[in-house]
Amino acid sequence: MKRWAVGLVAAVVFLSAAQAFAVTHYVRRSGSPCGVNHTSIQQAINHASDGDTILVERGIYREQLTISKNGLTIFSSRGARQTIVLPSELTPGGVVITGNGNTFWGFTVRDTTSGHRHAHRLIFVQGDDNTVLENILIGRGPSSYSDGGIVVRGGGVGDGIAAGNWIDSNEVYNTVDGILSVS
């Protein structure tokens, strides 16, 4: 009986330690350490666990992104001018970050939608302690709606306050509000 209990404790400790190691996921690049060669950024986000890294190769990605996990680092291998996200919808945002402690770094997010009669948000941050770094954000241009490049607002997740977010070295064009915090 004691041997079985010691063996069970050892197995639980081993599995817990194995889950503590972060994994890197590649998007549009072969040889991904996670074992899956992802074809979209959202696919990699969905497959990732808290604390993982997602390395995105250059290219055009026609997708809306939702980052609800914690501690992800999502970055472009070639920088914002060569890695472009074209979301088909910008409600609540083209890139929506509801998790905590994530980094979104080095992308162009561009609004190419038409006919949408509501405010657009290129990046919408609702979680805490997230970093949005060195992105280029290009809005749809003149609009009667309050379009935003980066909007930080805590409502709807957690305690309702988006705290400790770091927004640095982003370029914002063709929006009504460049960077707006309404927490």
Side-chain angles (χ1 to χ4, degrees):
M1 184 77 161
K2 288 182 181 180
R3 285 185 188 176
W4 180 83
V6 171
L8 180 61
V9 169
V12 169
V13 169
F14 176 76
L15 289 174
S16 295
Q19 291 176 347
F21 294 105
V23 174
T24 300
H25 304 261
Y26 293 161
V27 179
R28 292 190 186 165
R29 178 177 174 183
S30 61
S32 187
C34 74
V36 176
N37 294 321
H38 303 289
T39 57
S40 76
I41 302 168
Q42 189 64 55
Q43 180 189 37
I45 292 168
N46 294 346
H47 185 243
S49 296
D50 289 351
D52 284 357
T53 298
I54 299 170
L55 174 64
V56 181
E57 286 299 312
R58 68 180 173 193
I60 296 174
Y61 296 85
R62 298 179 189 281
E63 56 186 313
Q64 182 179 23
L65 304 177
T66 300
I67 305 165
S68 58
K69 297 183 179 179
N70 301 313
L72 295 182
T73 299
I74 304 165
F75 70 99
S76 163
S77 68
R78 302 291 176 104
R81 299 203 187 287
Q82 294 188 37
T83 312
I84 302 164
V85 177
L86 303 175
S88 58
E89 178 57 62
L90 289 106
T91 299
V95 177
V96 181
I97 305 172
T98 60
N100 301 316
N102 297 293
T103 298
F104 187 76
W105 178 11
F107 295 87
T108 291
V109 181
R110 184 177 190 137
D111 183 352
T112 59
T113 64
S114 62
H116 294 198
R117 300 177 58 118
H118 52 74
H120 291 187
R121 301 174 189 112
L122 293 163
I123 298 179
F124 186 34
V125 180
Q126 291 186 292
D128 298 334
D129 302 314
N130 295 292
T131 301
V132 178
L133 180 65
E134 296 180 5
N135 298 288
I136 299 171
L137 308 165
I138 305 170
R140 63 179 160 177
S143 170
S144 59
Y145 301 97
S146 185
D147 292 353
I150 300 172
V151 176
V152 180
R153 186 180 81 205
V157 298
D159 60 6
I161 300 170
N165 292 293
W166 185 263
I167 312 297
D168 192 18
S169 301
N170 296 280
E171 299 175 32
V172 183
Y173 304 96
N174 296 330
T175 64
V176 174
D177 295 312
I179 300 172
L180 178 65
S181 176
V182 291
S183 287

